[in-house]
Amino acid sequence: MNNEEKQSLSIEIEKFKTIQTFLSDKISLKNGRAVERIQFCAGVDVAYWEEAGVEWGVCSIVVIDYDTKVVVDKTHSIGKITVPYIPGYLAFRELPLVLDAAKKLSKTPDLYMFDGNGYLHPRHMGIATHASFFLNKPTIGIAKSYFKIDNVDVTIPKNKTGSYEDIVIGNEVYGRVLRSHQDVKPIFISCGNYINLQATTKIVLHLINEESRIPIPVRLADLETKRIRRRLVE
DNA sequence: GCGACAG
DNA sequence: ATCTTGTCGC
């Protein structure tokens, strides 16, 4: 990347930051829509590959029934990726494909779970929260590693399934470190929007099975995304 | 300049 | 995220 490209990228980042700040004022974590009743729960993930110097991505959305955990719908969308990965600005990179895939769903999810953060973000605008304003549904963020904010470290929860520790930054709870399985690295969950942290924790734990430390819908979307890529690349 | 850095 | 070999364990 040359200096001119670096310059235009930093201008883009400033615009991204402005958008995040604008949206973050509209977060409503006290809205109870999610805790009332969930039937359809969606998992979202994106995989990437490169072809002739062009970066491509595929977004998969897998919808399961909350009680039976049976897959009831799934869609995907494929497209060129134009925005680079910049920590803190993941939504601007992945959201176009996500929204494209969401449009194709025949069942309307009551909740979306994302691979990444939600409220647990420097401006409370991780991809899960950002996406909620376009999907108009409750969202949850599921991260497999900790995105450090203000140099605050997390407390490691006890080695027991369901144990968690709040992630507190400046007297505010941003999210939770959750042990989804004993003897397995914990995950980092946070509200996206239109849902509170208590409901978020309950839903995440409900959708964990023996196969994975992340919730079923996100895991299925991850598998799906790689299956589609393999079909395209080979 | 160096290290850190969701996916 | 992706690139990768072997390896440990159910």
Side-chain angles (χ1 to χ4, degrees), chain A residues 109-223:
Chain A
D110 303 300
L111 176 109
Y112 288 84
M113 306 183 99
F114 286 81
D115 202 328
N117 292 314
Y119 200 75
L120 178 57
H121 178 278
R123 287 167 293 284
H124 294 150
M125 281 297 299
I127 187 168
T129 309
H130 195 139
S132 75
F133 296 109
F134 298 90
L135 298 169
N136 293 307
K137 290 290 174 186
T139 58
I140 290 174
I142 313 286
K144 297 180 291 296
S145 64
Y146 176 53
F147 186 26
K148 204 173 194 178
I149 298 167
D150 290 349
N151 209 32
V152 173
D153 285 310
V154 297
T155 305
I156 306 302
K158 284 185 290 186
N159 186 16
K160 186 187 173 202
T161 303
S163 294
Y164 63 79
E165 292 286 345
D166 286 350
I167 301 169
V168 182
I169 300 162
N171 293 321
E172 190 183 9
V173 178
Y174 276 50
R176 273 176 183 165
V177 200
L178 174 68
R179 188 79 68 176
S180 54
H181 285 300
Q182 190 169 3
D183 300 321
V184 176
K185 280 195 301 181
I187 56 176
F188 305 83
I189 66 173
S190 57
C191 301
N193 203 358
Y194 312 128
I195 188 169
N196 59 47
L197 192 52
Q198 188 185 330
T200 294
T201 307
K202 180 182 157 192
I203 291 164
V204 168
L205 283 172
H206 176 80
L207 294 177
I208 296 289
N209 66 12
E210 282 308 310
E211 270 79 73
S212 174
R213 72 184 172 121
I214 60 175
I216 297 165
V218 189
R219 176 60 180 153
L220 293 179
D222 175 59
L223 292 172

